[in-house]
mmCIF file of all heavy atoms in Angstrom:
data_model
loop_
_atom_site.group_PDB
_atom_site.id
_atom_site.type_symbol
_atom_site.label_atom_id
_atom_site.label_comp_id
_atom_site.label_asym_id
_atom_site.label_seq_id
_atom_site.Cartn_x
_atom_site.Cartn_y
_atom_site.Cartn_z
ATOM 1 N N ALA A 1 81.871 16.455 64.957
ATOM 2 C CA ALA A 1 82.291 16.137 63.596
ATOM 3 C C ALA A 1 81.115 16.075 62.624
ATOM 4 O O ALA A 1 81.304 16.189 61.407
ATOM 5 C CB ALA A 1 83.056 14.809 63.583
ATOM 6 N N ARG A 2 79.913 15.907 63.147
ATOM 7 C CA ARG A 2 78.733 15.876 62.274
ATOM 8 C C ARG A 2 78.454 17.238 61.643
ATOM 9 O O ARG A 2 77.671 17.331 60.677
ATOM 10 C CB ARG A 2 77.516 15.412 63.066
ATOM 11 C CG ARG A 2 77.603 13.966 63.556
ATOM 12 C CD ARG A 2 76.503 13.653 64.560
ATOM 13 N NE ARG A 2 75.174 14.024 64.059
ATOM 14 C CZ ARG A 2 74.103 14.167 64.826
ATOM 15 N NH1 ARG A 2 74.194 13.998 66.141
ATOM 16 N NH2 ARG A 2 72.930 14.514 64.298
ATOM 17 N N LEU A 3 79.094 18.274 62.150
ATOM 18 C CA LEU A 3 78.875 19.611 61.597
ATOM 19 C C LEU A 3 79.430 19.747 60.178
ATOM 20 O O LEU A 3 78.891 20.522 59.380
ATOM 21 C CB LEU A 3 79.528 20.665 62.502
ATOM 22 C CG LEU A 3 78.842 20.912 63.846
ATOM 23 C CD1 LEU A 3 79.761 21.697 64.768
ATOM 24 C CD2 LEU A 3 77.519 21.655 63.631
ATOM 25 N N ARG A 4 80.513 19.032 59.863
ATOM 26 C CA ARG A 4 81.137 19.240 58.545
ATOM 27 C C ARG A 4 80.182 18.945 57.397
ATOM 28 O O ARG A 4 79.948 19.821 56.535
ATOM 29 C CB ARG A 4 82.416 18.410 58.420
ATOM 30 C CG ARG A 4 83.309 18.884 57.247
ATOM 31 C CD ARG A 4 84.040 17.758 56.548
ATOM 32 N NE ARG A 4 83.126 16.869 55.869
ATOM 33 C CZ ARG A 4 82.588 17.117 54.685
ATOM 34 N NH1 ARG A 4 82.857 18.241 54.034
ATOM 35 N NH2 ARG A 4 81.745 16.256 54.127
ATOM 36 N N PRO A 5 79.606 17.724 57.310
ATOM 37 C CA PRO A 5 78.713 17.499 56.172
ATOM 38 C C PRO A 5 77.450 18.354 56.214
ATOM 39 O O PRO A 5 76.938 18.757 55.157
ATOM 40 C CB PRO A 5 78.374 16.000 56.283
ATOM 41 C CG PRO A 5 78.690 15.616 57.696
ATOM 42 C CD PRO A 5 79.815 16.501 58.105
ATOM 43 N N LEU A 6 76.949 18.665 57.415
ATOM 44 C CA LEU A 6 75.772 19.526 57.503
ATOM 45 C C LEU A 6 76.067 20.911 56.929
ATOM 46 O O LEU A 6 75.281 21.459 56.139
ATOM 47 C CB LEU A 6 75.316 19.654 58.955
ATOM 48 C CG LEU A 6 74.532 18.493 59.567
ATOM 49 C CD1 LEU A 6 74.259 18.771 61.037
ATOM 50 C CD2 LEU A 6 73.219 18.266 58.814
ATOM 51 N N LEU A 7 77.185 21.481 57.327
ATOM 52 C CA LEU A 7 77.534 22.824 56.844
ATOM 53 C C LEU A 7 77.915 22.806 55.368
ATOM 54 O O LEU A 7 77.678 23.784 54.652
ATOM 55 C CB LEU A 7 78.664 23.396 57.692
ATOM 56 C CG LEU A 7 78.236 23.882 59.078
ATOM 57 C CD1 LEU A 7 79.433 24.110 59.985
ATOM 58 C CD2 LEU A 7 77.409 25.167 58.966
ATOM 59 N N ALA A 8 78.497 21.717 54.897
ATOM 60 C CA ALA A 8 78.795 21.612 53.460
ATOM 61 C C ALA A 8 77.506 21.598 52.656
ATOM 62 O O ALA A 8 77.421 22.182 51.562
ATOM 63 C CB ALA A 8 79.619 20.355 53.193
ATOM 64 N N GLU A 9 76.480 20.956 53.192
ATOM 65 C CA GLU A 9 75.182 20.944 52.516
ATOM 66 C C GLU A 9 74.548 22.326 52.527
ATOM 67 O O GLU A 9 73.976 22.781 51.523
ATOM 68 C CB GLU A 9 74.264 19.933 53.191
ATOM 69 C CG GLU A 9 72.939 19.726 52.493
ATOM 70 C CD GLU A 9 72.091 18.670 53.171
ATOM 71 O OE1 GLU A 9 72.619 17.887 53.975
ATOM 72 O OE2 GLU A 9 70.868 18.644 52.884
ATOM 73 N N VAL A 10 74.684 23.027 53.657
ATOM 74 C CA VAL A 10 74.090 24.362 53.770
ATOM 75 C C VAL A 10 74.785 25.360 52.856
ATOM 76 O O VAL A 10 74.131 26.165 52.175
ATOM 77 C CB VAL A 10 74.157 24.844 55.238
ATOM 78 C CG1 VAL A 10 73.799 26.327 55.340
ATOM 79 C CG2 VAL A 10 73.219 24.022 56.111
ATOM 80 N N THR A 11 76.121 25.325 52.833
ATOM 81 C CA THR A 11 76.884 26.337 52.109
ATOM 82 C C THR A 11 77.076 26.015 50.635
ATOM 83 O O THR A 11 77.242 26.925 49.814
ATOM 84 C CB THR A 11 78.277 26.519 52.732
ATOM 85 O OG1 THR A 11 79.020 25.290 52.605
ATOM 86 C CG2 THR A 11 78.185 26.895 54.203
ATOM 87 N N GLY A 12 77.093 24.716 50.297
ATOM 88 C CA GLY A 12 77.435 24.335 48.936
ATOM 89 C C GLY A 12 78.889 24.575 48.617
ATOM 90 O O GLY A 12 79.294 24.565 47.448
ATOM 91 N N ARG A 13 79.704 24.776 49.650
ATOM 92 C CA ARG A 13 81.120 25.067 49.476
ATOM 93 C C ARG A 13 81.954 24.033 50.246
ATOM 94 O O ARG A 13 81.438 23.327 51.121
ATOM 95 C CB ARG A 13 81.450 26.476 50.020
ATOM 96 C CG ARG A 13 80.765 27.621 49.309
ATOM 97 C CD ARG A 13 81.202 27.709 47.855
ATOM 98 N NE ARG A 13 82.656 27.764 47.743
ATOM 99 C CZ ARG A 13 83.335 27.283 46.696
ATOM 100 N NH1 ARG A 13 82.725 26.686 45.709
ATOM 101 N NH2 ARG A 13 84.650 27.387 46.675
ATOM 102 N N PRO A 14 83.245 23.944 49.948
ATOM 103 C CA PRO A 14 84.098 23.035 50.713
ATOM 104 C C PRO A 14 84.132 23.430 52.197
ATOM 105 O O PRO A 14 84.294 24.601 52.535
ATOM 106 C CB PRO A 14 85.475 23.214 50.064
ATOM 107 C CG PRO A 14 85.188 23.693 48.678
ATOM 108 C CD PRO A 14 83.973 24.553 48.812
ATOM 109 N N VAL A 15 83.962 22.445 53.066
ATOM 110 C CA VAL A 15 83.992 22.651 54.509
ATOM 111 C C VAL A 15 84.973 21.655 55.113
ATOM 112 O O VAL A 15 84.863 20.448 54.882
ATOM 113 C CB VAL A 15 82.602 22.468 55.146
ATOM 114 C CG1 VAL A 15 82.680 22.632 56.673
ATOM 115 C CG2 VAL A 15 81.610 23.477 54.573
ATOM 116 N N THR A 16 85.924 22.168 55.869
ATOM 117 C CA THR A 16 86.866 21.302 56.578
ATOM 118 C C THR A 16 86.456 21.232 58.044
ATOM 119 O O THR A 16 85.817 22.137 58.581
ATOM 120 C CB THR A 16 88.307 21.815 56.478
ATOM 121 O OG1 THR A 16 88.424 23.054 57.194
ATOM 122 C CG2 THR A 16 88.717 22.040 55.034
ATOM 123 N N PHE A 17 86.840 20.139 58.681
ATOM 124 C CA PHE A 17 86.606 19.985 60.118
ATOM 125 C C PHE A 17 87.830 19.327 60.729
ATOM 126 O O PHE A 17 88.432 18.428 60.142
ATOM 127 C CB PHE A 17 85.382 19.116 60.412
ATOM 128 C CG PHE A 17 85.213 18.832 61.885
ATOM 129 C CD1 PHE A 17 84.533 19.725 62.691
ATOM 130 C CD2 PHE A 17 85.790 17.710 62.473
ATOM 131 C CE1 PHE A 17 84.414 19.493 64.060
ATOM 132 C CE2 PHE A 17 85.677 17.469 63.828
ATOM 133 C CZ PHE A 17 84.989 18.368 64.627
ATOM 134 N N GLY A 18 88.164 19.775 61.952
ATOM 135 C CA GLY A 18 89.260 19.116 62.644
ATOM 136 C C GLY A 18 89.279 19.453 64.119
ATOM 137 O O GLY A 18 88.715 20.465 64.561
ATOM 138 N N TRP A 19 89.922 18.555 64.886
ATOM 139 C CA TRP A 19 90.097 18.747 66.323
ATOM 140 C C TRP A 19 91.378 19.508 66.577
ATOM 141 O O TRP A 19 92.401 19.270 65.923
ATOM 142 C CB TRP A 19 90.146 17.392 67.025
ATOM 143 C CG TRP A 19 88.957 16.535 66.747
ATOM 144 C CD1 TRP A 19 88.861 15.521 65.825
ATOM 145 C CD2 TRP A 19 87.662 16.640 67.350
ATOM 146 N NE1 TRP A 19 87.599 14.990 65.832
ATOM 147 C CE2 TRP A 19 86.845 15.641 66.757
ATOM 148 C CE3 TRP A 19 87.125 17.455 68.337
ATOM 149 C CZ2 TRP A 19 85.516 15.458 67.119
ATOM 150 C CZ3 TRP A 19 85.803 17.268 68.705
ATOM 151 C CH2 TRP A 19 85.005 16.289 68.102
ATOM 152 N N ALA A 20 91.332 20.416 67.523
ATOM 153 C CA ALA A 20 92.517 21.217 67.851
ATOM 154 C C ALA A 20 93.184 20.644 69.103
ATOM 155 O O ALA A 20 92.518 20.120 69.989
ATOM 156 C CB ALA A 20 92.113 22.668 68.082
ATOM 157 N N PRO A 21 94.540 20.776 69.155
ATOM 158 C CA PRO A 21 95.404 21.481 68.222
ATOM 159 C C PRO A 21 95.851 20.671 67.015
ATOM 160 O O PRO A 21 96.657 21.151 66.221
ATOM 161 C CB PRO A 21 96.600 21.856 69.091
ATOM 162 C CG PRO A 21 96.701 20.743 70.082
ATOM 163 C CD PRO A 21 95.284 20.333 70.375
ATOM 164 N N ARG A 22 95.361 19.418 66.850
ATOM 165 C CA ARG A 22 95.778 18.610 65.705
ATOM 166 C C ARG A 22 95.527 19.339 64.390
ATOM 167 O O ARG A 22 96.427 19.451 63.540
ATOM 168 C CB ARG A 22 95.036 17.275 65.703
ATOM 169 C CG ARG A 22 95.141 16.527 64.392
ATOM 170 C CD ARG A 22 94.270 15.286 64.359
ATOM 171 N NE ARG A 22 94.839 14.259 65.207
ATOM 172 C CZ ARG A 22 94.701 12.964 64.965
ATOM 173 N NH1 ARG A 22 94.035 12.551 63.911
ATOM 174 N NH2 ARG A 22 95.227 12.081 65.788
ATOM 175 N N HIS A 23 94.295 19.776 64.179
ATOM 176 C CA HIS A 23 93.921 20.367 62.897
ATOM 177 C C HIS A 23 94.691 21.655 62.600
ATOM 178 O O HIS A 23 95.206 21.818 61.485
ATOM 179 C CB HIS A 23 92.418 20.615 62.865
ATOM 180 C CG HIS A 23 91.887 20.994 61.521
ATOM 181 N ND1 HIS A 23 91.838 20.109 60.467
ATOM 182 C CD2 HIS A 23 91.379 22.169 61.052
ATOM 183 C CE1 HIS A 23 91.325 20.721 59.409
ATOM 184 N NE2 HIS A 23 91.041 21.963 59.740
ATOM 185 N N PRO A 24 94.803 22.583 63.550
ATOM 186 C CA PRO A 24 95.626 23.762 63.257
ATOM 187 C C PRO A 24 97.080 23.420 62.956
ATOM 188 O O PRO A 24 97.711 24.052 62.102
ATOM 189 C CB PRO A 24 95.502 24.599 64.538
ATOM 190 C CG PRO A 24 94.188 24.196 65.115
ATOM 191 C CD PRO A 24 94.074 22.729 64.830
ATOM 192 N N HIS A 25 97.643 22.426 63.638
ATOM 193 C CA HIS A 25 99.003 22.011 63.323
ATOM 194 C C HIS A 25 99.085 21.519 61.879
ATOM 195 O O HIS A 25 100.064 21.792 61.170
ATOM 196 C CB HIS A 25 99.449 20.884 64.258
ATOM 197 C CG HIS A 25 100.061 21.368 65.542
ATOM 198 N ND1 HIS A 25 101.292 21.987 65.597
ATOM 199 C CD2 HIS A 25 99.612 21.308 66.822
ATOM 200 C CE1 HIS A 25 101.570 22.294 66.852
ATOM 201 N NE2 HIS A 25 100.565 21.898 67.614
ATOM 202 N N ALA A 26 98.072 20.774 61.445
ATOM 203 C CA ALA A 26 98.107 20.169 60.121
ATOM 204 C C ALA A 26 97.734 21.147 59.014
ATOM 205 O O ALA A 26 98.362 21.163 57.954
ATOM 206 C CB ALA A 26 97.171 18.958 60.085
ATOM 207 N N ILE A 27 96.712 21.969 59.241
ATOM 208 C CA ILE A 27 96.119 22.778 58.175
ATOM 209 C C ILE A 27 96.317 24.276 58.390
ATOM 210 O O ILE A 27 96.074 25.079 57.498
ATOM 211 C CB ILE A 27 94.608 22.480 58.056
ATOM 212 C CG1 ILE A 27 94.356 20.975 57.985
ATOM 213 C CG2 ILE A 27 94.022 23.145 56.827
ATOM 214 C CD1 ILE A 27 94.972 20.317 56.774
ATOM 215 N N GLY A 28 96.768 24.674 59.587
ATOM 216 C CA GLY A 28 96.843 26.096 59.909
ATOM 217 C C GLY A 28 97.668 26.920 58.948
ATOM 218 O O GLY A 28 97.391 28.103 58.730
ATOM 219 N N GLN A 29 98.682 26.312 58.356
ATOM 220 C CA GLN A 29 99.495 27.061 57.394
ATOM 221 C C GLN A 29 98.657 27.549 56.220
ATOM 222 O O GLN A 29 98.839 28.667 55.735
ATOM 223 C CB GLN A 29 100.648 26.191 56.882
ATOM 224 C CG GLN A 29 101.543 26.920 55.879
ATOM 225 C CD GLN A 29 102.768 26.131 55.501
ATOM 226 O OE1 GLN A 29 103.306 25.375 56.299
ATOM 227 N NE2 GLN A 29 103.239 26.300 54.278
ATOM 228 N N TYR A 30 97.718 26.728 55.783
ATOM 229 C CA TYR A 30 96.847 27.144 54.679
ATOM 230 C C TYR A 30 95.947 28.296 55.119
ATOM 231 O O TYR A 30 95.724 29.244 54.360
ATOM 232 C CB TYR A 30 96.000 25.975 54.187
ATOM 233 C CG TYR A 30 95.212 26.313 52.952
ATOM 234 C CD1 TYR A 30 95.732 26.072 51.692
ATOM 235 C CD2 TYR A 30 93.957 26.926 53.040
ATOM 236 C CE1 TYR A 30 95.025 26.416 50.547
ATOM 237 C CE2 TYR A 30 93.239 27.271 51.909
ATOM 238 C CZ TYR A 30 93.787 27.018 50.664
ATOM 239 O OH TYR A 30 93.082 27.383 49.535
ATOM 240 N N HIS A 31 95.419 28.218 56.344
ATOM 241 C CA HIS A 31 94.522 29.269 56.821
ATOM 242 C C HIS A 31 95.192 30.638 56.784
ATOM 243 O O HIS A 31 94.554 31.641 56.445
ATOM 244 C CB HIS A 31 94.076 28.969 58.252
ATOM 245 C CG HIS A 31 93.217 27.747 58.368
ATOM 246 N ND1 HIS A 31 92.942 27.155 59.585
ATOM 247 C CD2 HIS A 31 92.568 27.006 57.427
ATOM 248 C CE1 HIS A 31 92.168 26.100 59.381
ATOM 249 N NE2 HIS A 31 91.926 25.996 58.095
ATOM 250 N N ILE A 32 96.470 30.668 57.148
ATOM 251 C CA ILE A 32 97.171 31.945 57.269
ATOM 252 C C ILE A 32 97.868 32.355 55.974
ATOM 253 O O ILE A 32 97.825 33.520 55.577
ATOM 254 C CB ILE A 32 98.195 31.887 58.421
ATOM 255 C CG1 ILE A 32 97.478 31.672 59.755
ATOM 256 C CG2 ILE A 32 99.041 33.161 58.481
ATOM 257 C CD1 ILE A 32 96.540 32.782 60.143
ATOM 258 N N HIS A 33 98.494 31.407 55.302
ATOM 259 C CA HIS A 33 99.344 31.756 54.162
ATOM 260 C C HIS A 33 98.754 31.385 52.808
ATOM 261 O O HIS A 33 99.315 31.719 51.778
ATOM 262 C CB HIS A 33 100.713 31.081 54.320
ATOM 263 C CG HIS A 33 101.477 31.568 55.514
ATOM 264 N ND1 HIS A 33 102.142 32.775 55.530
ATOM 265 C CD2 HIS A 33 101.650 31.027 56.739
ATOM 266 C CE1 HIS A 33 102.713 32.955 56.714
ATOM 267 N NE2 HIS A 33 102.422 31.917 57.462
ATOM 268 N N GLY A 34 97.608 30.678 52.798
ATOM 269 C CA GLY A 34 96.965 30.352 51.539
ATOM 270 C C GLY A 34 96.055 31.464 51.063
ATOM 271 O O GLY A 34 96.076 32.597 51.590
ATOM 272 N N PRO A 35 95.216 31.197 50.058
ATOM 273 C CA PRO A 35 94.257 32.213 49.590
ATOM 274 C C PRO A 35 93.376 32.693 50.740
ATOM 275 O O PRO A 35 92.839 31.886 51.497
ATOM 276 C CB PRO A 35 93.445 31.461 48.537
ATOM 277 C CG PRO A 35 94.354 30.354 48.071
ATOM 278 C CD PRO A 35 95.136 29.943 49.268
ATOM 279 N N GLN A 36 93.229 33.973 50.856
ATOM 280 C CA GLN A 36 92.480 34.534 51.981
ATOM 281 C C GLN A 36 90.993 34.604 51.656
ATOM 282 O O GLN A 36 90.394 35.668 51.493
ATOM 283 C CB GLN A 36 93.047 35.907 52.341
ATOM 284 C CG GLN A 36 94.460 35.842 52.901
ATOM 285 C CD GLN A 36 94.528 34.976 54.157
ATOM 286 O OE1 GLN A 36 93.996 35.341 55.197
ATOM 287 N NE2 GLN A 36 95.188 33.826 54.065
ATOM 288 N N VAL A 37 90.402 33.403 51.571
ATOM 289 C CA VAL A 37 88.987 33.282 51.235
ATOM 290 C C VAL A 37 88.260 32.398 52.254
ATOM 291 O O VAL A 37 87.131 31.976 52.005
ATOM 292 C CB VAL A 37 88.805 32.705 49.809
ATOM 293 C CG1 VAL A 37 89.318 33.691 48.768
ATOM 294 C CG2 VAL A 37 89.493 31.346 49.672
ATOM 295 N N GLY A 38 88.889 32.158 53.397
ATOM 296 C CA GLY A 38 88.308 31.278 54.394
ATOM 297 C C GLY A 38 87.396 31.999 55.375
ATOM 298 O O GLY A 38 87.598 33.167 55.709
ATOM 299 N N SER A 39 86.389 31.281 55.837
ATOM 300 C CA SER A 39 85.555 31.696 56.963
ATOM 301 C C SER A 39 85.677 30.611 58.026
ATOM 302 O O SER A 39 85.895 29.433 57.701
ATOM 303 C CB SER A 39 84.095 31.866 56.540
ATOM 304 O OG SER A 39 83.974 32.840 55.517
ATOM 305 N N PHE A 40 85.510 30.984 59.300
ATOM 306 C CA PHE A 40 85.886 30.055 60.362
ATOM 307 C C PHE A 40 84.835 29.986 61.459
ATOM 308 O O PHE A 40 84.223 30.992 61.819
ATOM 309 C CB PHE A 40 87.223 30.498 60.980
ATOM 310 C CG PHE A 40 88.356 30.488 59.986
ATOM 311 C CD1 PHE A 40 88.599 31.593 59.170
ATOM 312 C CD2 PHE A 40 89.155 29.375 59.848
ATOM 313 C CE1 PHE A 40 89.615 31.579 58.233
ATOM 314 C CE2 PHE A 40 90.179 29.353 58.914
ATOM 315 C CZ PHE A 40 90.413 30.451 58.104
ATOM 316 N N VAL A 41 84.660 28.769 61.981
ATOM 317 C CA VAL A 41 83.878 28.538 63.187
ATOM 318 C C VAL A 41 84.795 27.855 64.187
ATOM 319 O O VAL A 41 85.353 26.787 63.899
ATOM 320 C CB VAL A 41 82.648 27.642 62.930
ATOM 321 C CG1 VAL A 41 81.943 27.333 64.246
ATOM 322 C CG2 VAL A 41 81.690 28.312 61.950
ATOM 323 N N HIS A 42 84.980 28.473 65.337
ATOM 324 C CA HIS A 42 85.784 27.890 66.411
ATOM 325 C C HIS A 42 84.864 27.457 67.538
ATOM 326 O O HIS A 42 84.055 28.248 68.035
ATOM 327 C CB HIS A 42 86.816 28.889 66.929
ATOM 328 C CG HIS A 42 88.058 28.936 66.116
ATOM 329 N ND1 HIS A 42 89.247 29.454 66.575
ATOM 330 C CD2 HIS A 42 88.327 28.500 64.849
ATOM 331 C CE1 HIS A 42 90.170 29.359 65.647
ATOM 332 N NE2 HIS A 42 89.627 28.784 64.590
ATOM 333 N N LEU A 43 84.999 26.193 67.935
ATOM 334 C CA LEU A 43 84.206 25.648 69.034
ATOM 335 C C LEU A 43 85.099 25.439 70.253
ATOM 336 O O LEU A 43 86.161 24.811 70.148
ATOM 337 C CB LEU A 43 83.591 24.310 68.643
ATOM 338 C CG LEU A 43 82.684 24.279 67.415
ATOM 339 C CD1 LEU A 43 82.204 22.855 67.162
ATOM 340 C CD2 LEU A 43 81.509 25.222 67.572
#
């Protein structure tokens, strides 16, 4: 979880973080059906 603020500092852009499958259940709809401007890191 420490990656979120670190990457937000590096990118200067909004960075989300979540544990799966919780996070994909909660936010996955945005990833697929929202604005297609996302980049992703899967651990």
Side-chain angles (χ1 to χ4, degrees):
R2 294 169 52 197
L3 288 166
R4 196 215 66 80
L6 282 176
L7 284 166
E9 186 178 344
V10 169
T11 63
R13 297 297 307 150
V15 178
T16 67
F17 174 86
W19 305 98
R22 166 187 287 211
H23 190 69
H25 273 290
I27 310 297
Q29 180 173 328
Y30 187 92
H31 294 166
I32 297 297
H33 296 282
Q36 293 301 291
V37 293
S39 300
F40 298 86
V41 175
H42 277 199
L43 302 178

